[in-house]
Amino acid sequence: MNQLFLASCFTTLVFMPIAKGGINGTYEVRGTENDNGDRYKFTGTVKVSKFKAGSYSLTFNDGERASSSFKFNFSTPLKETTSPQTVNCYSSRGTGTATFRFVNGHYKLEFTYKAKGANVRGSGTGIK
């Protein structure tokens, strides 16, 4: 009977992150972008879906409150795990890297990106 109880406790702890929604979902993000030497702060959301794709919508604090949004794909699908994982991402507009970590009951995201054909780079962090 004790083994059944211990197995039940272990199973609950292992699958607890999945019960909280898992790695897919919406991350509230913030960061900075360097556009030809000019630096802008941004806030927005990154949405991850089906472990292999996502989209972002950012609003920049550049005096005009410009916004940008587009879709991207991961080079390898994400896994439903609490171990840190880093994936490359790409779209027709650029490339990037995203690292997902499960910390204190939440998924956290750190990302960088670089535009194709332009001197634009950015980085940010987020939490789900």
Side-chain angles (χ1 to χ4, degrees):
M1 186 67 164
N2 281 343
Q3 289 175 339
L4 181 60
F5 176 73
L6 290 174
S8 174
C9 290
F10 177 76
T11 302
T12 301
L13 290 174
V14 168
F15 292 107
M16 195 165 92
I18 296 169
K20 292 188 175 222
I23 202 163
N24 289 315
T26 303
Y27 294 78
E28 298 294 325
V29 297
R30 64 182 54 243
T32 57
E33 180 174 277
N34 188 321
D35 183 352
N36 290 308
D38 294 326
R39 193 172 170 103
Y40 303 107
K41 292 183 179 182
F42 63 78
T43 59
T45 58
V46 171
K47 295 180 182 177
V48 176
S49 60
K50 300 181 182 176
F51 302 102
K52 61 183 179 179
S55 63
Y56 82 64
S57 177
L58 304 178
T59 301
F60 294 87
N61 186 11
D62 63 355
E64 296 179 15
R65 301 293 293 172
S67 62
S68 177
S69 61
F70 69 86
K71 295 181 179 183
F72 58 88
N73 293 304
F74 296 120
S75 56
T76 57
L78 293 168
K79 297 176 184 169
E80 196 67 74
T81 178
T82 58
S83 299
Q85 54 188 316
T86 300
V87 292
N88 293 319
C89 38
Y90 62 92
S91 76
S92 61
R93 296 177 65 184
T95 59
T97 302
T99 300
F100 294 85
R101 290 183 172 81
F102 189 75
V103 180
N104 297 326
H106 297 280
Y107 278 99
K108 295 191 176 187
L109 166 64
E110 295 175 6
F111 62 94
T112 61
Y113 60 89
K114 181 179 186 275
K116 286 183 182 175
N119 187 14
V120 177
R121 295 176 178 265
S123 64
T125 60
I127 190 166
K128 177 177 168 252

